[in-house]
Amino acid sequence: MNRTPCRTAAALLLPVLLLAAGCQRETKTVEEPSPPFVFRSLDLRQQDRQGRPAWQLRSPEARYDLRRRVAQARDPEGVIYANGQPLYRLSATRGTVINDGEAILLEGQIRVDRLGDQPLQIRASRARWLPRRDRLIIDRAPEAFDRQNRLSARRAIFKFDKGLLEMRGRPRLQHWARSFDPRHALPAGPPETLLTVDRADWYPGTGVLETRGLVRGTRRPAGRPADRPAQTLIAGSLSGNTIQQRYTLGSPVRFEDPVEGNALTTGSVAIDLPAQRASTDAAFQGRRGSLQASGVGLDVDGKQQQATIAAGCRIEQPGENLRAERCQWNWSTQDVEADGPLELRRSSNDQLTRGTRLRGRLGNDGTIEVSAPGGRVVSRFRARPARSASPR
């Protein structure tokens, strides 16, 4: 965005310069450096080519060095506009204004708040604001909050004109299950999920998030004590939308829960946090306790506590083995459904049953009903001989 340089500081200094020139003594032979001018307030403004406000910086007190064209400002506050409307509000503990606003060094408690319906707050302890380039370069403790996430890294660049936050230096994404407004209060307690990546590009206004590098994460389900191990995750990449809370984990994906005895290895996984769903179209291998499952295409519904295997279903547990074209299993009730050419083996009595439809429950005390609409069910088992009083 092209902008017209501001002349406000020069206009304020002109009367002071004239007064200082009139009071000089002719007998002075050694030129001493003049002390910086102290203003009751500082007000810098700049407009775009259409005459609309582009940015503004105010301070209740500033000390100006005339020769260096540097102003030291206390408690500076700024506003960044988009199409003439205020979009970001900026504040810091101290500010150093160079060349009447060409660059502004911010230090102390730095805050950038995004105005509007999608709250965003960026915090840091040192940053350089380049108004003409629409950049905020943060080199110390950058972190950003929206309604449910905190994104932090070693350094960052926020591009006001694009609404893009570039996080570099092992960014960390923390997620809380409960939403909050960072402009009023930050989240209490540890996050539910923590992910680390190599680099991240985030558009807070739209929620779009793109990362690079291997993803490593931990998740602690609600109610799990701190002394119990957390769930772990490794993925090839991460992308998604922080507003919609929908993400894609790139292949390969490895998930483990040592407490529940769960594990999953598969390709790319789509995650919908509000719906509590995760799905993949790739081949997978999974485990839940003593139960082993594999196939191609998996949909896990956390609300219904149900997993659906789209094709090539195979479920194994001690004493039972089920193969089918498609399976559906509820890990809370142990109810299982299977369709297509299927085969159920049970070690008890060496039972083997074939059919096209199965409804029942897994487990030694469960009941299994196998049917074959329009066809027949084949079941084979070995009956153990009854015990007799005298051996035969």
Side-chain angles (χ1 to χ4, degrees):
M1 181 181 297
N2 296 322
R3 294 173 176 165
T4 304
C6 173
R7 303 296 183 183
T8 305
L12 291 174
L13 291 174
L14 184 58
V16 183
L17 294 176
L18 295 176
L19 179 60
C23 295
Q24 289 181 349
R25 296 181 179 180
E26 296 181 358
T27 57
K28 183 182 294 187
T29 57
V30 179
E31 183 178 353
E32 297 179 357
S34 58
F37 298 105
V38 180
F39 300 99
R40 292 183 180 271
S41 63
L42 174 69
D43 191 344
L44 294 177
R45 303 169 184 262
Q46 194 169 49
Q47 297 177 336
D48 60 18
R49 286 190 170 184
Q50 286 73 35
R52 300 172 298 185
W55 62 270
Q56 176 183 351
L57 181 68
R58 291 180 177 179
S59 171
E61 181 180 310
R63 303 173 66 88
Y64 191 84
D65 189 321
L66 182 62
R67 292 189 306 166
R68 299 170 56 200
R69 297 178 64 190
V70 172
Q72 301 288 339
R74 176 175 63 85
D75 298 327
E77 294 184 354
V79 178
I80 295 93
Y81 296 82
N83 300 321
Q85 300 298 320
L87 184 58
Y88 298 99
R89 193 176 302 278
L90 179 149
S91 64
T93 306
R94 301 176 302 278
T96 302
V97 184
I98 303 173
N99 291 338
D100 300 333
E102 181 178 337
I104 302 169
L105 176 63
L106 303 172
E107 296 178 291
Q109 297 180 356
I110 303 172
R111 285 182 51 175
V112 178
D113 291 307
R114 188 180 190 276
L115 309 177
D117 297 334
Q118 297 297 336
L120 167 73
Q121 184 177 108
I122 299 175
R123 294 189 170 200
S125 58
R126 188 175 67 184
R128 285 180 295 143
W129 178 21
L130 307 177
R132 297 179 184 177
R133 296 178 55 191
D134 278 323
R135 299 291 187 271
L136 182 69
I137 303 174
I138 307 173
D139 60 3
R140 186 174 296 174
E143 57 179 353
F145 297 86
D146 67 357
R147 290 189 183 275
Q148 288 185 275
N149 304 284
R150 173 182 180 264
L151 192 61
S152 60
R154 297 172 186 168
R155 60 190 183 277
I157 298 177
F158 187 53
K159 300 179 179 180
F160 292 105
D161 55 341
K162 299 180 180 180
L164 170 61
L165 179 63
E166 299 177 346
M167 304 293 277
R168 301 294 183 264
R170 299 298 295 168
R172 291 159 43 103
L173 175 63
Q174 296 171 290
H175 174 79
W176 283 263
R178 288 189 175 184
S179 61
F180 55 90
D181 190 337
R183 296 171 297 190
H184 298 92
L186 296 181
E192 182 183 71
T193 304
L194 169 62
L195 302 176
T196 59
V197 296
D198 289 341
R199 53 186 293 179
D201 293 337
W202 185 31
Y203 295 85
T206 61
V208 175
L209 174 68
E210 295 286 344
T211 72
R212 297 290 185 274
L214 190 67
V215 180
R216 296 182 181 274
T218 59
R219 178 179 179 270
R220 186 170 299 278
R224 179 170 294 187
D227 59 347
R228 302 286 284 168
Q231 299 170 342
T232 60
L233 171 71
I234 298 178
S237 62
L238 171 68
S239 61
N241 191 295
T242 57
I243 296 177
Q244 300 174 359
Q245 296 296 312
R246 296 185 179 94
Y247 302 94
T248 299
L249 296 171
S251 178
V253 175
R254 172 71 178 175
F255 170 82
E256 290 189 7
D257 186 341
V259 175
E260 300 290 339
N262 300 339
L264 176 67
T265 302
T266 185
S268 298
V269 176
I271 299 176
D272 188 332
L273 292 182
Q276 299 182 27
R277 297 185 77 108
S279 61
T280 179
D281 295 329
F284 74 92
Q285 290 183 340
R287 182 185 77 247
R288 183 176 178 86
S290 60
L291 185 143
Q292 305 278 344
S294 62
V296 178
L298 175 67
D299 181 82
V300 179
D301 187 339
K303 290 184 177 180
Q304 301 295 328
Q305 296 185 317
Q306 184 170 276
T308 302
I309 302 175
C313 168
R314 181 169 182 174
I315 299 178
E316 299 179 8
Q317 67 174 7
E320 294 177 323
N321 185 323
L322 173 65
R323 294 185 180 185
E325 182 63 27
R326 176 185 176 275
C327 296
Q328 192 173 79
W329 169 57
N330 187 297
W331 61 82
S332 177
T333 64
Q334 293 298 314
D335 290 339
V336 62
E337 299 180 5
D339 295 290
L342 61 88
E343 180 181 276
L344 173 65
R345 292 180 179 270
R346 306 186 77 170
S347 58
S348 175
N349 297 325
D350 293 332
Q351 180 181 346
L352 171 62
T353 302
R354 293 189 177 96
T356 57
R357 185 178 183 186
L358 179 147
R359 301 291 184 270
R361 297 183 61 209
L362 291 178
N364 294 330
D365 58 346
T367 59
I368 297 292
E369 176 184 345
V370 179
S371 63
R376 63 178 182 171
V377 175
V378 177
S379 184
R380 183 186 67 192
F381 61 92
R382 178 179 299 173
R384 295 180 180 179
R387 295 182 180 180
S388 58
S390 60
R392 299 179 59 183

